[in-house]
Amino acid sequence: VLPGAMRGAEPATLLARVQALWPGAAGAAVAAGAGPLAERDGVVTVGCESAVWANELELLGSELTARLNASLEASGAGRIERLRFVVAG
C-alpha cells in the first residue's frame, strides 16, 4: 500500500487514534496482550488477555494515559481522561 494512499482513511474518532497510537505508547509486549476496545466520554476501555495483565496495566494506567495524551495532543486529536482495563480474552 502506498503510504500516501491511506492518509486520512482511518475513522476520525478518538478511539481510532488511540488504537493507532497504542503500540507505540504501550510497547510491543503490552500491545500483544492488550488493546483499546471502546471509548466513552474520554474513558478508553482496554481489553486484556488475562486478569493478571489487567491488574498490572492498572498500575501503569496513569503513565500510559500520559503517553497517549502527549501523542494525541501533538496530532490535534484531543485527549483521554483515563484508561479502564478489563479481561477480554
Side-chain angles (χ1 to χ4, degrees), residues 5-86:
M6 295 304 293
R7 191 179 331 278
E10 72 267 357
T13 65
L14 182 57
L15 177 60
R17 291 297 304 141
V18 170
Q19 288 171 328
L21 295 168
W22 181 254
V30 171
L37 300 175
E39 181 273 331
R40 184 173 181 162
D41 297 328
V43 177
V44 175
T45 300
V46 178
C48 304
E49 66 181 23
S50 70
V52 173
W53 269 100
N55 188 47
E56 289 296 318
L57 291 178
E58 190 68 44
L59 298 173
L60 296 172
S62 60
E63 182 180 335
L64 291 169
T65 299
R67 288 183 197 168
L68 286 165
N69 278 334
S71 296
L72 288 167
E73 290 169 357
S75 67
R79 60 182 286 114
I80 60 172
E81 295 301 317
R82 70 180 185 91
L83 297 170
R84 178 177 163 258
F85 300 96
V86 298

